[in-house]
Amino acid sequence: MHRFYVPPNESDPGALVLRGTEAHHARDVLRLKRGDKAIVFNGQGREVTAEIIHLTRDEIRLRKLHETETPPFRCRITLGQAIPKGKNMDLIVQKAVEIGASEIAPLISERTIVDLDSKERAQKQAKWQQVAIEAAKQCGQNWLPRIEVPRKLKDFFSDSVGAVSDRRMQNDETDVGDLGPSRQLRLIGSLQRDARHLKKILGDYRSDHGRLPASVLMLIGPEGDFTPAELALAKSHGCLPITLGPIILRVETASIYCLSILSYELLTPQDASVSPHTTSPN
């Protein structure tokens, strides 16, 4: 069945309605009609299988058949990605959704070719959020990552959304549901000699804490890597340099590589023994 996204504030299972681009896609592109079934998800774990009961020019109304709650991943992964040239950021956002990132923070680094004013930053955020929605629809991901407004690395660490205080990180506090989680483990891809293998860092974290982290920040630089000053800034905020192997990777390859490893190691549901909860209409 085709999947459609409805924002959480509009996803009442008792009154499901598709509007705007989602209604256009269902009615005019897919040619769905009354009686057809579809899946509606709200990006926060809820998925509803529904039947189309009414179509108009402006909206499509559906009736809930049954509902499923998908548990969140046990670890929140934030990708801090220096914006690459061309359309590579679209690809990175798409693959990050498929792999399981919880948040994507586009970064404007000193070596970023793209230069954006405030209006262009908002436009890019909206565009990449739509890329994330389309990827989630296609791959069956029920937890939609939030795409942040592009900003410089120093602003990412200093503002309230991009970071929490170093005191919280040092105390190992966790707020998994918050958009600015404590990010217990902070990593940065690096070509420097002091970079360590990710497997070693994860192993050390488990040895020190008796468990794997519940939140991770992964920073990936632009073509040419972060500057020494940016790398020093990241280190001052607790980021550990990691090596991506002996071969220099393209930006999009580096992002997919790192997220894939973190996904394999960390993205186990909070309780793998519990099946998703399904309900049927009364």
Side-chain angles (χ1 to χ4, degrees):
M1 284 182 285
H2 297 288
R3 286 166 50 87
F4 299 93
Y5 170 69
V6 175
N9 61 337
E10 301 176 13
S11 62
D12 179 3
L16 289 173
V17 181
L18 301 182
R19 298 186 177 92
T21 58
E22 295 294 81
H24 165 72
H25 187 222
R27 181 187 59 246
D28 302 325
V29 179
L30 300 175
R31 304 292 183 181
L32 298 184
K33 57 186 183 299
R34 182 176 178 180
D36 287 340
K37 295 180 176 60
I39 293 174
V40 178
F41 71 104
N42 70 350
Q44 294 185 352
R46 175 181 291 168
E47 178 183 279
V48 177
T49 301
E51 178 184 6
I52 296 175
I53 57 175
H54 186 65
L55 295 89
T56 69
R57 184 173 182 176
D58 300 319
E59 62 183 32
I60 297 175
R61 296 188 176 275
L62 306 98
R63 176 176 64 90
K64 184 182 83 169
L65 299 178
H66 61 83
E67 179 180 346
T68 299
E69 290 289 342
T70 304
F73 293 120
R74 66 157 302 280
C75 179
R76 286 181 59 90
I77 299 174
T78 298
L79 173 64
Q81 175 66 60
I83 302 171
K85 60 185 178 181
K87 295 185 177 181
N88 284 334
M89 191 65 186
D90 291 19
L91 174 66
I92 291 170
V93 170
Q94 180 189 71
K95 299 310 175 186
V97 174
E98 294 176 8
I99 296 172
S102 298
E103 185 178 2
I104 301 170
L107 301 175
I108 302 173
S109 74
E110 294 181 29
R111 290 173 175 164
T112 296
I113 297 176
V114 181
D115 187 18
L116 305 172
D117 59 29
S118 58
K119 181 179 179 180
E120 290 171 328
R121 293 183 189 192
Q123 292 173 339
K124 289 291 187 181
Q125 178 196 30
K127 174 189 175 184
W128 290 326
Q129 190 68 66
Q130 188 59 42
V131 170
I133 289 172
E134 294 302 322
K137 288 167 62 175
Q138 187 173 47
C139 74
Q141 170 64 286
N142 286 330
W143 287 90
L144 182 66
R146 171 174 173 153
I147 313 298
E148 299 295 341
V149 176
R151 57 201 187 280
K152 294 183 178 180
L153 188 63
K154 62 181 180 64
D155 297 326
F156 171 78
F157 282 120
S158 64
D159 67 30
S160 59
V161 176
V164 295
S165 68
D166 288 339
R167 180 184 60 80
R168 284 188 60 191
M169 185 184 71
Q170 291 167 1
N171 290 340
D172 203 29
E173 296 178 9
T174 308
D175 186 1
V176 179
D178 185 60
L179 288 176
S182 60
R183 298 179 180 130
Q184 296 167 341
L185 182 61
R186 300 180 182 187
L187 308 169
I188 182 170
S190 173
L191 299 175
Q192 303 301 312
R193 291 184 177 182
D194 63 343
R196 295 190 293 159
H197 288 282
L198 180 54
K199 184 175 182 180
K200 171 64 174 173
I201 290 177
L202 291 175
D204 289 347
Y205 189 97
R206 185 194 288 271
S207 297
D208 293 341
H209 299 84
R211 57 174 174 78
L212 290 170
S215 56
V216 174
L217 167 65
M218 182 68 247
L219 295 180
I220 300 294
E223 293 88 348
D225 202 5
F226 288 114
T227 64
E230 289 172 326
L231 185 57
L233 174 65
K235 287 182 178 180
S236 73
H237 284 274
C239 292
L240 304 176
I242 66 168
T243 177
L244 307 186
I247 302 173
I248 297 177
L249 305 178
R250 294 174 62 93
V251 173
E252 62 273 22
T253 308
S255 301
I256 295 171
Y257 173 85
C258 291
L259 289 177
S260 297
I261 295 175
L262 291 171
S263 175
Y264 178 81
E265 296 288 346
L266 303 176
L267 294 192
T268 303
Q270 291 181 351
D271 186 351
S273 64
V274 178
S275 299
H277 179 63
T278 303
T279 60
S280 299
N282 294 330

